[in-house]
Amino acid sequence: MSFEAFRAEIGRLADVLCAVNLLQWDTRTMMPPGGVEGRAHQLATLTSLAREIATGPALKSAIERARDTLAGGGSDAERDEVEFAAGAIATLERISSRLVSEAAELKTRANAAWIEARREDDFAGFAPFLQRTVELQRDIAAAIGSEGHPYDALIGTYEPCMTLSRLRPLLDELRTELAPLLAKARDLNSGVDLAMKRFPVERQKLFAKELAGRLGYDFARGRLDDTVHPFEISMTRGDVRITGRFREEWLPAGMFGVWHEVGHGLYEQGIAPELTRSAFAIDFVNLYAVGGTSFGMHESQSRLIENRVGRSRRFWELHFGRLRDAFPDELAGVSEAGFWRAVNAARPGPIRVEADELTYDLHIMLRVEIEAALIAGEIEVRDLPGLWRERMRDLLGIEVSTDREGVLQDVHWSSGMIGSFATYTLGNVMGAQLFEAATRDRAVSAGIDGGDYGPLRDWLGHHIHRHGRRFPAEALLERATGEALSTRSYLAALRAKVDGLAA
Amino acid sequence: MSFEAFRAEIGRLADVLCAVNLLQWDTRTMMPPGGVEGRAHQLATLTSLAREIATGPALKSAIERARDTLAGGGSDAERDEVEFAAGAIATLERISSRLVSEAAELKTRANAAWIEARREDDFAGFAPFLQRTVELQRDIAAAIGSEGHPYDALIGTYEPCMTLSRLRPLLDELRTELAPLLAKARDLNSGVDLAMKRFPVERQKLFAKELAGRLGYDFARGRLDDTVHPFEISMTRGDVRITGRFREEWLPAGMFGVWHEVGHGLYEQGIAPELTRSAFAIDFVNLYAVGGTSFGMHESQSRLIENRVGRSRRFWELHFGRLRDAFPDELAGVSEAGFWRAVNAARPGPIRVEADELTYDLHIMLRVEIEAALIAGEIEVRDLPGLWRERMRDLLGIEVSTDREGVLQDVHWSSGMIGSFATYTLGNVMGAQLFEAATRDRAVSAGIDGGDYGPLRDWLGHHIHRHGRRFPAEALLERATGEALSTRSYLAALRAKVDGLAA
C-alpha cells in the first residue's frame, strides 16, 4: 500500500511535468506571438509547483513509509525506484530555490541578449550575461558538489557519473583518430550538389514521415509538426511528439533532422508501460518529464537512427527509389550512390549543427575545453572570441570570420546550459557501440538489410528503451553490448564509411 | 503591497487554469490517440492543484490582508476584485472535494456510455449514468443552496443571478411570439439547395479565416484549428484560440461556426490587459480560466456575430462576391439574395445544433423544462424518451423517430452539465439587445454598412469585453443598452428578418 502512496505522489509530479512539456511543445510549434508573456507565467508557476511537490513533505513521508514497508518485502524494482527518487530529490534540494529562480530569470534576459548579439555580431553585448551565467553555474556546481573538477557537477546534471577526467582521454582519442580520416574524406567529391536544387517542402515532409513510420515511430502515439529548432518531447509513452524544419534549399537537413528526432521518439515510445508516471520517467534535477536515462544515451538513439541507419549505403539502396519518385525533376540524373555520397560529404566548417560526422566531435572538444576552463576560472569570458578562433584553427584548420559563426553560434549558454555538450559526442560513441551489438543479432541485421527496422527497434527497446531511467547509461551500455564505453565501434564505423566513400 | 500579494496568488491560480485550458485545447485538436490516458491524469492533477490553491490558506490570508489594507485606501476595482474572489471561493467551497471528484469520475464513465448509447440508439444503456448524474447534481445544487427552485443553484453556476422563475416568462414569451413567425417563414423557399454541391474544405477555411479577420479577430493573438465540436478557449487575452469543423457537403456549418467562435474570441481578446491573471478572469465555481462574465453573455457575443452580423442581408451584399470568387463553379447561378435566403431558411427539425434562429429556442425550452423537473424529482429518467417525443410534437410539431435524434443528442448531460441550456437562449436575447444598442451608434452602423466591423468590436469592447467578470451579465447589459433583459430586440430582429425573407 505504501508503495502505491509513493507512486500516487510521484504521479502528481509526473502529471505536472508532462503539462510543462505540453506548454513547451506548444510554445515552439503552435502558440501565437501574443501568448509569449502569459506562457512565461504559466511555465514559471507549473515549474515551481513541480519543485514544491518534488521537495515537499508529502513525498518525503511517502518515501519514508515506502522504505519501511519495502524493507520487509516488495520487489527490487520498487526498492530501486524509491531510492532513485530519494537520491535525485536530495540532489535537487542542494540547488536552492534562490539559485533556481535566479537562473530562470537570467535565462530569459540572457536569451534575448544572445539573439540580439548574434544578429549584430556583437559579442560584447552578450558577454555580461555569459559572465553572470558562468558565475551562477559555478554556484550551482558548488551546491551540487563533486569530488574532482567543479565542471563534473554540471556534466552530471546531464550525464550522471560522467567526469571531465574520463571525457578527456575519450575526446583526445577521437581527435587523433579522426584527423587522418578527415584528411582522406575531404578530398572525395560526390559530384552531386543538392544545394543547386529546390525541393518543395510538402513532399519532403511526406517522404520523411513515410520513412519515420518505417523506422518504427508510432504516429498513433505521436505527431510531427514544424518548428524552428527541431526537438522531441514526451507526455508519457502514449504521446511522444517530434518536430522538424524543412527548407526548400537544403533537402538533407529536413529529413535527417526528422529521423534524428525519430531516434529520440523511439526511446520515449519504448519506455515500459509500468514506468508511466513513475520516478523512472522523471529527470528530477532538471525537473523534466523524460524516460531516457541520460542526455548521452538519448542522443545515442537519435544518432544511431540518423547516422548508422539513415546515412548508410544500404538505406539509400533501399529507399532512394521512393525519394526519386517524390522528386523526379529535382533528382533527375542523380544516382543512388551519388546521393549517398552527397549526404556523407565531409567538409570542415565553422557551424556545429551543420557539421558532418568526421568533424562534429571536434566542435564538441572546443566547447568542453572552454566550459571546463570557464567554470574553473582559468579563462575569462572576454577572451572567448580570440580563443575560439585559435582553437578552430588548431582543431579544424579553418578561419572563423565572425563571432556569429564562432562563439555566438550556440543557444546553450544563453539558456543557462553549461556541461551538456559532451553528451552529443557520448551519443555518437554509445550509438555506434549499440548499433554494432544490435547488428550482431541476425534478425536485426537481416531486417536492416531488407528495410524492416522492426527487429532493430525491438532490440533497442529490450536493451535500452524499456528500462527508462532505472539504470545509468553506462551500466545499460555494458549490459547491452558486453563492453564498457569505448570509441572503438564509432571509429570503426567511420573508417568503414570513409573506405566506402573512397572506393 | 497586500493587494499585490493577493494578485500574486490569484496569478498562480490563473496560470494553472490556463495550463488546463491548453491541455483541453490540445486534447480536442492535436493530441494523438495514445495520449488519452495520460491526459486524463494531467487534467485531474492540475484541476485538483487549482482547487487546492483556490481554497488554500495562502489565498485566504492574502484576501484577509488585502481587505485590511484596502479598508484604509485602495481603488474600487481592487476592493471589488478581492470581494469577488472571496465570494466565488465561498461558493466553490460549498461543493465538497468529494462531490467534485465523484462528478469528475462519473463524467468520464458517463461520457463513454453516452457515446456508445447514442451510436446504438440505446437510451437504457445511458439511463443509469444519467440517473446518477441527476442525483449528483441534486447534491451539488443542495450544497450550493438557493432561495427558490433547487434548479436555480445549477443555473447560477453558468449564469449567476438567473432563476427558473425569471426564465419561464421569458421562454413563454418567445414561444408565443415565435410561433407565427415560424409559420410564416417555413413556407418561404430560397430556391437554392446548398446541400447539392460539394465545397472543398481548404477554400472554405480560407474564406472563413479572411472574414474572421475582418470581423476583428486578431490572429496574432489566436489561431484557428480543426476539431470535431468547435469551441473557443483562452490562455489569457494574448492567446485566444478558436476551432472549426468544415464539411464538403454543408458549406454554412463551417463558416458560421467559425464566426460564432469569433464572437466568443472577440470577448476574450477584448478583456482589459490589467485583468490578465486577475480574479476577474477566473470562473472559480467551474475552475475555468475565462474572462467573459457568464455563459449567457459569452453566447450573446457569438450569436451577435454569427446571426445579427453574419446572417444579415447586408453582410452578404458585401461579401458574397468574395465567396463566389472562392467557389466559382459550386456557386454558379446562385445570387447573393438566394444565398442569403438559403442560410436563413427556417425548418423545424429534431437536432438542436442544426436548428435555425426561429426554432432554436424551442429546443432550449424543452431541455429547461426537463432539467428543472428532473432536479425537482417530478419526473423520472426512464420517462424521458417518451416525454421528449411528446414535447417535440407540442413545441415544434415534429415526430422524433429515434432517441439518437431525441433525448440522446446532446453531450451536456453526459458531461455532468445540468443547468446550462438556458444560457443559449439568454445569449440570443442579450446579443440582440446589444446589437440594437450598438447600431444606434452612428459609427457602428456606418461601419457595418461598409463592411468595417472595427467600430462594432470597439463598442462591444468598451461596453462588455474589457470588464471581464467584474460586473454580472445583466448589470452590464443594462449599462450598455439602457434596458433590462428583454425579448423585445430579439423578436424585432427575427420579425424583420422574416419580413425580409417574405419580401
Side-chain angles (χ1 to χ4, degrees), chain B residues 380-400:
Chain B
E380 299 295 330
V381 164
R382 64 168 175 274
D383 301 328
L384 290 187
L387 197 59
W388 193 281
R389 285 174 168 76
E390 190 185 302
R391 299 299 291 125
M392 284 299 276
R393 237 173 267 133
D394 293 351
L395 286 162
L396 281 151
I398 58 169
E399 290 300 323
V400 173

Side-chain angles (χ1 to χ4, degrees), chain B residues 211-263:
Chain B
L211 270 293
R214 291 196 68 148
L215 288 163
Y217 179 78
D218 179 0
F219 280 96
R221 296 188 288 137
R223 51 181 292 134
L224 169 64
D225 295 281
D226 294 323
T227 191
V228 179
H229 300 290
F231 62 97
E232 170 275 326
I233 200 160
S234 140
M235 278 70 64
T236 79
R237 72 191 294 279
D239 188 356
V240 177
R241 305 187 187 184
I242 59 176
T243 59
R245 184 185 179 202
F246 301 91
R247 287 175 295 154
E248 278 204 339
E249 66 277 18
W250 190 233
L251 172 71
M255 61 190 194
F256 285 108
V258 168
W259 303 334
H260 179 98
E261 303 309 331
V262 161

